[in-house]
Structures are given as structure tokens and as C-alpha cells.
Amino acid sequence: AAMSSSDAITHGASVSFGRDICKAIYSKIPENIELWIMRGAVFGVGAVAYLIAIFGSEGLIQLLLGAYGPIAQLAPAVYASLFFRKASALSIIIGLILGVSITIYYQYFSDNTLYDLHAGLIGLAFNIIAVFVFSCIVKQRKGEILKANEFNDI
């Protein structure tokens, strides 16, 4: 079970590192150099994953739960963009930062969580509240309103 997930995640992370980070910073990288960067990133990501698995976790379930906590913070952004027309980009970013920060705090630095809930769920609750509150406080820019109307017209 672990291998089927790990090879896809490792290759996805290496491609993302090569194309989304290195290519964005150095846009004139030849394709063969980009390929070698991605190949090296496979080993780098694999080494980091190995170290986390050996030294930073109690088991596979804890490792997977730890990975899904921060990823779950993307849900309010997706649902707000689909169903909440007043959501602004700034409120989404604030919600993401707050949710991931709270998740990481309770996951790695705190000895216990509120009501013994999973750290990702606590971060998700704060994320949703932040998106809603800041969407009411911060007004959308004209470009955001145009994109929202364009999306609704489809």
C-alpha cells in the first residue's frame, strides 16, 4: 500500500520541483538539464521521505494522517471558489496559511489537541472560519469579480 502511493507522490514532487520551481526561476533551462534535475529530485524526495518514515513517525497510518492534514486545507479554497461568490483571493490565502499553520502546530509541536481531534480537522475549522470572516471584511477586486461572473456564465 505504501509503495503504490509513494512512487506517484515522489514522481509528482520531482516533476513539480523541476518544472514549477526550477523552470520558473530559470526559464531558459534546456529540457535535458530539466530532466536531470527531476531525476535528482526523485532521489532527494525519496531520501527525505525515508528519513521522515524512519525517524519522524510511529507508523504508516500516522505518516499518512500527517500528510493529509495540510492537504485537507485546500478544500475550503476549492469549495469557496465553486459555491461562495464573495470569497476573495486574500481571504483564501489567509485561510490556507492559518489552517496549515494550526495543523502543523498541533501535529508536530503540541502534546495534545482540542477535544482529541485530528490536527488537520482543527486547522480546517479555523481555515473555514477565516475564509468566511475575511471574505466579509475584504472586498473582491474587479478582476476577481469579472472571473467569478465569467465562471457563472459557463
Side-chain angles (χ1 to χ4, degrees), residues 25-38:
I25 295 171
Y26 305 107
S27 59
K28 293 184 167 93
I29 292 178
E31 195 164 323
N32 63 337
I33 301 295
E34 184 182 349
L35 179 64
W36 281 105
I37 289 171
M38 288 188 276

Side-chain angles (χ1 to χ4, degrees), residues 7 12 23 46 57 70 73 75 88 90 110 112 116 119-120 129-130 141:
D7 79 346
K23 194 78 166 181
S57 181
Q73 304 309 312
S88 65
L90 183 61
S110 178
N112 53 7
D116 205 26
I129 292 167
R141 295 176 297 187

